[in-house]
Amino acid sequence: QVQFVESGGGLVQAGGSLRLSCVASERTFNIGAIGWYRQAPGKQREFVARVSPGGSTGYTDSVRGRFTISRDNARNTVYLQMNSLKFDDTAVYYCNTHPPIIIPWGQGTQVTVSS
């Protein structure tokens, strides 16, 4: 079973940037589409962005134009570049397949945006 390890979160002021990394235990080319998801306190986990093996991307409306998802198949890694961060981006960020089928989810990485 493939496993994902998320990293790169932290505390950043509004308007700042962070780059999250998701390292897979298998070749990302063999996994298929991979997505980033997030869960804020008191809210359900939501889809953020996805990237196909060939690099095709998709985003939820609230992050389109600010976030960029990419993948480096040689390094088994998917990235999420987050720019112009807002307070409402505060959440624990997770990666998984898209659609998400890997259980259990990883520990995620905390992103906290201060006003």
Side-chain angles (χ1 to χ4, degrees):
Q1 181 181 9
V2 65
Q3 293 180 313
F4 299 100
V5 178
E6 304 94 341
S7 64
L11 175 64
V12 64
Q13 64 182 355
S17 298
L18 285 172
R19 189 182 74 159
L20 307 184
S21 297
C22 169
V23 179
S25 61
E26 301 179 8
R27 295 174 59 192
T28 51
F29 181 83
N30 295 334
I31 295 172
I34 298 175
W36 282 97
Y37 308 80
R38 67 186 181 187
Q39 185 168 24
K43 301 177 66 176
Q44 293 187 333
R45 182 182 290 113
E46 66 173 343
F47 163 80
V48 176
R50 59 170 171 84
V51 60
S52 74
S56 178
T57 61
Y59 303 90
T60 191
D61 288 345
S62 63
V63 309
R64 187 175 294 108
R66 299 187 299 120
F67 291 9
T68 303
I69 188 171
S70 62
R71 65 194 294 165
D72 184 343
N73 290 321
R75 288 180 161 81
N76 294 353
T77 302
V78 175
Y79 303 97
L80 185 68
Q81 178 66 48
M82 305 185 296
N83 298 326
S84 301
L85 282 162
K86 303 184 297 185
F87 175 78
D88 288 347
D89 294 319
T90 296
V92 178
Y93 285 71
Y94 305 88
C95 57
N96 206 320
T97 57
H98 188 271
I101 63 171
I102 302 302
I103 298 174
W105 293 74
Q107 294 300 305
T109 185
Q110 175 72 51
V111 172
T112 303
V113 183
S114 62
S115 61

